[in-house]
Amino acid sequence: NAGVTQTPKFQVLKTGQSMTLQCAQDMNHEYMSWYRQDPGMGLRLIHYSVGAGITDQGEVPNGYNVSRSTTEDFPLRLLSAAPSQTSVYFCASALERGIGYTFGSGTRLTVV
Amino acid sequence: GDSVTQMEGPVTLSEEAFLTINCTYTATGYPSLFWYVQYPGEGLQLLLKATKADDKGSNKGFEATYRKETTSFHLEKGSVQVSDSAVYFCALSESGGSNYKLTFGKGTLLTVNP
């Protein structure tokens, strides 16, 4: 049981490049989400999904796209990277509210 | 909207000292409350939780009680160890519907010296 797997662990992008951060879970969780963590800001929700085919915006969605074609996968796409997107990105999943959320180990992204 | 406020750090303690990290929240309904811990270079791990008023969550010697009257969920440990050095996040999940979103505090860095 791998839990929540994020790839890559580290990435450096040039301004304007696009990329996809991968997130997969093998716990059959319906809820998945993406957060970014910045110093002094805590974690902020980017996008979330409550099941396959259903996604919605979080607190800071601009510059990011998501899709949820399967229960297991929830990729995050950066359309045109900007230095302001330099951050650590975490994917999380949950079976239902109130039980607790399982986090991946994170992707550290630097945009130069 | 929902919000979580936790005490600003950093907090530096000696081994075996008593720990309190304050957390208060604002929510429109009856949220579930969580404490997460992040060790250096790692992701977040659920430390403990409480889903209704007066519930006490506990794990690894840490405790927190859901106080609806004071909208608080303070984290405590009677005797900290060097291995407890980490960043601690208080979080809430609002009740109702399909709202599974977590709202986090900004985190409190704890350093425990031997």
Side-chain angles (χ1 to χ4, degrees), chain A residues 39-80:
Chain A
M41 301 290 289
L43 283 85
R44 293 180 292 170
L45 181 65
I46 304 171
H47 286 284
Y48 67 101
S49 168
V50 297
I54 307 170
T55 64
D56 204 350
Q57 295 181 350
E59 184 182 355
V60 288
N62 292 342
Y64 307 95
N65 273 357
V66 292
S67 60
R68 185 91 180 272
S69 56
T70 67
T71 299
E72 293 78 21
D73 300 300
F74 190 45
L76 178 71
R77 282 182 286 276
L78 280 70
L79 308 175
S80 177

Side-chain angles (χ1 to χ4, degrees), chain B residues 15-57:
Chain B
E15 205 164 24
E16 300 183 0
F18 183 85
L19 169 71
T20 299
I21 301 178
N22 290 337
C23 172
T24 58
Y25 67 90
T26 301
T28 54
Y30 301 93
S32 295
L33 301 173
F34 305 87
W35 277 100
Y36 282 84
V37 58
Q38 184 180 32
Y39 299 103
E42 298 184 9
L44 278 74
Q45 301 175 25
L46 178 64
L47 180 59
L48 53 84
K49 65 177 175 71
T51 58
K52 62 182 186 296
D54 299 325
D55 268 1
K56 176 185 283 188

Side-chain angles (χ1 to χ4, degrees), chain B residues 9 24 60 101:
Chain B
T24 58
K60 300 181 180 179
K101 294 183 285 187

Side-chain angles (χ1 to χ4, degrees), chain B:
Chain B
D2 300 340
S3 66
V4 175
T5 303
Q6 58 183 106
M7 64 186 287
E8 304 225 354
V11 175
T12 303
L13 296 173
S14 297
E15 205 164 24
E16 300 183 0
F18 183 85
L19 169 71
T20 299
I21 301 178
N22 290 337
C23 172
T24 58
Y25 67 90
T26 301
T28 54
Y30 301 93
S32 295
L33 301 173
F34 305 87
W35 277 100
Y36 282 84
V37 58
Q38 184 180 32
Y39 299 103
E42 298 184 9
L44 278 74
Q45 301 175 25
L46 178 64
L47 180 59
L48 53 84
K49 65 177 175 71
T51 58
K52 62 182 186 296
D54 299 325
D55 268 1
K56 176 185 283 188
S58 61
N59 186 26
K60 300 181 180 179
F62 291 90
E63 293 183 339
T65 301
Y66 190 143
R67 301 288 188 199
K68 191 172 187 299
E69 64 274 16
T70 56
T71 61
S72 65
F73 193 54
H74 305 319
L75 182 68
E76 296 182 337
K77 187 174 185 182
S79 176
V80 294
Q81 305 299 313
V82 172
S83 57
D84 294 327
S85 298
V87 180
Y88 292 82
F89 292 94
C90 186
L92 71 80
S93 174
E94 186 59 275
S95 60
S98 60
N99 189 343
Y100 296 85
K101 294 183 285 187
L102 272 175
T103 300
F104 285 91
K106 294 186 178 180
T108 302
L109 172 64
L110 170 66
T111 301
V112 180
N113 295 318

